[in-house]
Amino acid sequence: MEDFNSETDSDYTSYWRDWFVSSRGNEYFCEIDEDYLTDRFNLTGLNTEVPYYQYALDLVTDVFDLDADDDLREQIEKSARHLYGLVHARYIVTTRGLAKMLEKYKKSDFGKCPRVMCDGHALLPLGESDLPNASTVKLYCPKCEDIYNPKSSRHSSIDGAYFGTSFHSILFQVYPALNPEKSSRRYEPRIYGFKVHAAAALARYQDNQREDLKWRLAEVDINHRFIEDSESDDDAFEYDEDYVEGHVEQVKNDKLFGDAASLA
Amino acid sequence: MSSSEGAPESWISSFCSLMGHEFFAEVSEDFIEDDFNLTGLQSQVPMYKEALEMILDVEPEDDEEEEEEEEEEDEDDALGGEPAYRRAGDRRHARVASDLSVIESSAELLYGLIHQRYITSRPGIQQMLEKYEMQHFGTCPRVNCNGCKVLPVGRSDTPGHETVKLFCPGCMDIYTPPNSRFHSVDGAFFGTTFGCLFFMTFPDLDIGPRLDAALSSISPRNAATQSRTGSLTRTPAGRQARSPTPENQPLEINGVRTPNLCPGLGKGKIYDPKIYGFKVSEVSRVGPRMKWLRMKPKNVVELDEAWNHEHGMSPQEARDDKEGDTEMNPEQSQDAAIANRKKAPMRRRRPNLGALVPTDPMDVHGR
């Protein structure tokens, strides 16, 4: 941040937004279009949220020229980052913003899912709240549909509100084809090769819940399948007879787990 | 001589202090010296004898020490890296460089395999407990696990298959270590057994949410944000997790203390995607389809399959018959009622579904 001050003082041609998105720790942000920033409608309500709003906006749009002392400058600088973040949350759910974030997602700029069974699927940033200062940014894995903490501490201090709660859901609503196939593969704890009862019983419960989900979906004519049950179409309905035992599914999972372990 | 010179660092402790080897416990020499503990390893490790000697810092020929030191010098340069290994290697008798590096890697492999056995033994698991409590293995990256402490595990007991993973007892899942230096540590050196055996050995460990205090200080949530973010806020969710469960919960379920059964799973711990505050319907084309993975019954008795079977809870027909059945004693029937209420609607539809769904879903709804 310090070097930025000196930099802009001497060099007005470098764009603030350029600098911001390329600086370390801001890898999750995409660059907001100038057009979007200058349209007042997009900034509705932010003037009460951001101190030194006008100066901050000037700084972000590179029209800032105020002879301010260092203290004030620093505050304006802070406001500018806050403002950028808040506009960012709005921008990334627009068509252009989505496209930009999609590019970053495809490059795994937001990191990869730490869950072993997700095979390093790309993540998306999200906030747990749309209000600033409520919680830090989290990462959503579209494969296991769970949220994780960023592994790097430089990302764990970013405000989650700069990405918002809705962004990742909207992304997949807009690009449904990109929604990854879900997997029913899971980790099975074992002791000397024997499954552990508590974990196995819970797994059976969860498998039942998954079957319930499939049936709920089937009722509305959605034939959802997980990667693992990609045999013939009839199969999904047939093995419901064995549902109570849950063994068919179990055995299938066992095999997969075993394969994964021995092949890799 | 060996002790006076090797006292500051044995091979084992220098191995364990290497970068990326932070997860390893120091196997006691007694354990290694007991041949019984090494059964079968001879066939798995090349140059077994030499490797074992290296691990134990045994020096067959003491008097050659001085000259070796000099020879080792150039080897250091030639091989580069792993200075700590070399230090241990220094004390070995003169060998060609390639030979030494073979023994070195054999020693590593052998140590790893012994380590796999050691950490399931009584002293070993105790040592790992200390490391666990000091959070040497890190915490679960999953947000709803609240920084539950994890354990290193392997997905295979045979070396060379997969690197070490982290097992979280809060969600019964495994994760890749965040730091890339662990991405070259073999998972077999920890083994598949250790993770679960550890928590069965110490059933009274409190594995519940840990970061509550720390997190709230990092991100202070006022009352307003808490009410807005609802179940996603950490602190209330952590507390709620136990309170709203039915009262007559058993102390233990399937051999695990109830509060220790996946505290990171179940209601309030499942991520609920929302768009502008509205939940995304599971019927949506891209709606949530993975919630089952993080589910846990509110009433853990549902997981007691033997009990359920005895009381006719599990088989489908019995479940249908059970509707309104109140012949059980009061507390059992309460359990059953709770379980039934949760499952009954689904089960009732089930038998006809296969035939009906493709043709006439309305019939199902009309029932």
Side-chain angles (χ1 to χ4, degrees), chain B residues 266-330:
Chain B
K267 204 166 184 288
K269 302 281 191 171
I270 305 170
Y271 174 65
D272 230 348
K274 289 183 186 149
I275 294 182
Y276 300 126
F278 299 99
K279 283 184 194 172
V280 181
S281 164
E282 71 179 10
V283 175
S284 155
R285 188 172 162 198
V286 292
R289 304 281 155 83
M290 291 295 286
K291 285 186 176 180
W292 54 270
L293 184 65
R294 306 304 191 192
M295 280 183 181
K296 186 175 87 172
K298 203 166 160 192
N299 182 357
V300 292
V301 178
E302 277 185 56
L303 292 176
D304 191 342
E305 287 157 337
W307 190 93
N308 287 341
H309 182 75
E310 225 171 89
H311 296 79
M313 299 282 298
S314 167
Q316 201 166 296
E317 320 80 51
R319 206 179 291 269
D320 293 340
D321 298 343
K322 264 293 173 295
E323 291 292 299
D325 183 348
T326 45
E327 275 168 18
M328 287 174 280
N329 69 52

Side-chain angles (χ1 to χ4, degrees), chain B residues 11-12 14-16 18 21 24 27 32 38 41 44-58 82 84-86 88-89 92 98-116 189:
Chain B
W11 186 91
I12 294 174
S14 68
F15 176 82
C16 292
L18 275 181
H21 291 187
F24 284 96
V27 181
I32 303 177
L38 309 180
L41 294 184
Q44 287 189 56
V45 181
M47 306 192 84
Y48 170 81
K49 196 165 168 292
E50 289 83 350
L52 188 60
E53 279 171 2
M54 182 177 269
I55 291 175
L56 291 172
D57 297 301
V58 179
E82 303 173 330
Y85 285 173
R86 297 269 75 83
R92 210 69 345 95
S98 61
D99 218 11
L100 242 171
S101 67
V102 170
I103 299 177
E104 190 61 62
S105 58
S106 284
E108 262 183 72
L109 175 64
L110 179 61
Y111 184 79
L113 292 173
I114 297 173
H115 185 265
Q116 182 202 105
F189 296 171

Side-chain angles (χ1 to χ4, degrees), chain A residues 87-121:
Chain A
V87 180
H88 188 262
R90 300 180 177 189
Y91 178 69
I92 56 175
V93 295
T94 63
T95 313
R96 300 201 53 171
L98 280 174
K100 279 190 185 179
M101 290 300 261
L102 185 63
E103 279 313 301
K104 290 172 79 68
Y105 165 68
K106 283 178 175 166
K107 286 189 288 175
S108 291
D109 277 359
F110 310 110
K112 291 179 174 172
C113 184
R115 185 168 169 265
V116 172
M117 300 301 165
C118 287
D119 292 322
H121 199 276

Side-chain angles (χ1 to χ4, degrees), chain A residues 33-254:
Chain A
D33 290 332
E34 177 121 32
D35 298 350
Y36 190 84
L37 270 168
T38 46
D39 186 342
R40 289 294 159 126
F41 175 75
N42 296 326
L43 310 176
T44 309
L46 293 183
N47 51 347
T48 55
E49 179 60 48
V50 181
Y52 303 106
Y53 170 76
Q54 193 53 53
Y55 292 133
L57 185 59
D58 287 349
L59 187 57
V60 172
T61 50
D62 300 306
V63 292
F64 183 74
D65 58 346
L66 174 78
D67 272 333
D69 58 45
D70 283 359
D71 265 4
L72 183 61
R73 228 199 139 84
E74 206 170 290
Q75 280 186 324
I76 293 173
E77 177 64 38
K78 213 174 132 210
S79 288
R81 287 197 295 268
H82 190 49
L83 176 67
Y84 190 89
L86 294 175
V87 180
H88 188 262
R90 300 180 177 189
Y91 178 69
I92 56 175
V93 295
T94 63
T95 313
R96 300 201 53 171
L98 280 174
K100 279 190 185 179
M101 290 300 261
L102 185 63
E103 279 313 301
K104 290 172 79 68
Y105 165 68
K106 283 178 175 166
K107 286 189 288 175
S108 291
D109 277 359
F110 310 110
K112 291 179 174 172
C113 184
R115 185 168 169 265
V116 172
M117 300 301 165
C118 287
D119 292 322
H121 199 276
L123 297 167
L124 283 170
L126 88 156
E128 284 183 282
S129 164
D130 285 313
L131 299 174
N133 304 321
S135 76
T136 59
V137 68
K138 304 283 182 272
L139 297 167
Y140 170 82
C141 171
K143 185 116 174 167
C144 57
E145 296 174 1
D146 210 338
I147 53 175
Y148 300 96
N149 294 307
K151 68 179 185 179
S152 166
S153 55
R154 66 171 185 269
H155 294 136
S156 54
S157 57
I158 301 174
D159 198 322
Y162 297 167
F163 300 92
T165 56
S166 317
F167 160 66
H168 65 86
S169 304
I170 294 176
L171 182 84
F172 288 112
Q173 294 286 347
V174 175
Y175 301 101
L178 290 173
N179 200 27
E181 260 192 289
K182 316 289 166 159
S183 163
S184 56
R185 212 152 57 109
R186 69 158 89 241
Y187 172 66
E188 271 183 350
R190 279 164 192 264
I191 291 184
Y192 300 117
F194 297 100
K195 277 190 258 178
V196 179
H197 181 50
L202 184 64
R204 280 190 288 272
Y205 170 84
Q206 291 172 341
D207 287 345
N208 286 352
Q209 296 293 318
R210 186 178 66 227
E211 294 311 302
D212 286 353
L213 167 75
K214 277 196 200 166
W215 281 96
R216 281 200 304 277
L217 292 174
E219 273 181 45
V220 289
D221 276 340
I222 300 174
N223 190 4
H224 182 80
R225 44 188 62 261
F226 294 86
I227 296 172
E228 282 69 25
D229 35 58
S230 54
E231 289 104 67
S232 76
D233 263 23
D234 315 328
D235 264 23
F237 294 106
E238 250 168 1
Y239 78 74
D240 185 57
E241 311 303 323
D242 308 318
Y243 167 81
V244 240
E245 286 135 48
H247 286 320
V248 176
E249 185 67 357
Q250 211 60 46
V251 168
K252 232 189 290 170
N253 285 344
D254 284 359

Side-chain angles (χ1 to χ4, degrees), chain B residues 99-162:
Chain B
D99 218 11
L100 242 171
S101 67
V102 170
I103 299 177
E104 190 61 62
S105 58
S106 284
E108 262 183 72
L109 175 64
L110 179 61
Y111 184 79
L113 292 173
I114 297 173
H115 185 265
Q116 182 202 105
R117 299 177 177 190
Y118 177 68
I119 55 174
T120 57
S121 74
R122 192 179 284 268
I125 212 162
Q126 196 68 40
Q127 216 175 314
M128 290 302 257
L129 174 67
E130 283 164 31
K131 285 172 81 72
Y132 167 83
E133 287 189 328
M134 287 159 74
Q135 214 173 297
H136 276 188
F137 311 118
T139 54
C140 183
R142 187 170 164 263
V143 171
N144 285 319
C145 278
N146 279 335
C148 191
K149 283 185 280 191
V150 293
L151 278 183
V153 294
R155 288 187 68 194
S156 160
D157 285 320
T158 329
H161 284 308
E162 277 204 58

Side-chain angles (χ1 to χ4, degrees), chain A residues 20-21 26-31 84-85 88 104 158 162-163:
Chain A
F20 181 79
V21 296
N26 290 342
E27 292 86 354
Y28 291 172
F29 290 93
C30 71
E31 194 175 335
Y84 190 89
H88 188 262
K104 290 172 79 68
I158 301 174
Y162 297 167
F163 300 92

